[in-house]
Amino acid sequence: MTSGNDSIEDVIDILLVEPNPGDTRLFTENFRDAKLMNTVHAVSDGDAALDFLHQRGEYADASPPDIILLEPQLPGTSGMDVLAELDGEPILSDIPVAVLTSSEMGEAIVQSHGLEADFYVRKPVEPADFVSFVDEIEEFWFAIVREPSET
């Protein structure tokens, strides 16, 4: 799917933690059409995200994701709690996290809890904006993949 110097041979596993089913559908459809070869695993709350990441219950056979897209405002266990648990678990802390913010204040709100994500991206409001959103996530992923070889 990708061509030129941006070729990535492996499928990228994305864990999308998003409570809105409509947004989940838009994310999934737009990632399917993206340059990246990917698999999107979607969960709708923080408890399911932690189960997925710890490979518990129905996610016992799930592979760890390559990247997490995390909505901080989740039912049950909050996105902040998920991020804190990721930071506290050495095996999980290496997974890049992109926090989906709904406003320019989103990054400051996450940081005010003493937490830090790898990337903050404004969540699209209009369906047409999802293409730009996917492009931002692709750029973030390519930067992660290239970073180790440039050091």
Side-chain angles (χ1 to χ4, degrees):
M1 294 233 252
T2 318
S3 61
N5 295 335
D6 289 338
S7 179
I8 296 192
E9 296 180 18
D10 296 328
V11 173
I12 308 307
D13 280 318
I14 299 169
L15 175 59
L16 172 64
V17 186
E18 169 58 57
N20 182 321
D23 285 352
T24 298
R25 183 182 55 78
L26 287 169
F27 281 119
T28 304
E29 288 173 359
N30 281 281
F31 274 110
R32 184 181 53 233
D33 298 336
K35 290 181 279 186
L36 290 174
M37 291 181 57
N38 62 71
T39 301
V40 178
H41 307 277
V43 296
S44 60
D45 60 54
D47 297 318
L50 292 174
D51 285 347
F52 188 98
L53 292 165
H54 289 290
Q55 298 171 308
R56 298 185 295 228
E58 69 180 280
Y59 306 107
D61 295 329
S63 300
D66 296 305
I67 185 172
I68 300 167
L69 305 181
L70 178 65
E71 164 62 54
Q73 298 178 355
L74 299 171
T77 301
S78 74
M80 302 298 184
D81 291 337
V82 171
L83 192 55
E85 187 156 337
L86 288 168
D87 287 345
E89 293 276 337
I91 197 162
L92 299 176
S93 65
D94 289 338
I95 302 171
V97 178
V99 170
L100 308 175
T101 63
S102 55
S103 70
E104 292 179 12
M105 295 294 297
E107 184 173 346
I109 292 169
V110 170
Q111 292 171 343
S112 74
H113 287 81
L115 301 169
E116 188 65 50
D118 297 292
F119 184 65
Y120 299 87
V121 63
R122 195 108 181 245
K123 191 173 167 180
V125 176
E126 299 296 325
D129 296 335
F130 274 82
V131 173
S132 297
F133 169 81
V134 169
D135 288 342
E136 283 186 68
I137 298 300
E138 287 177 345
E139 288 174 25
F140 171 59
W141 177 252
F142 287 135
I144 291 169
V145 170
R146 289 186 185 128
E147 190 173 275
S149 64
E150 293 179 357
T151 56

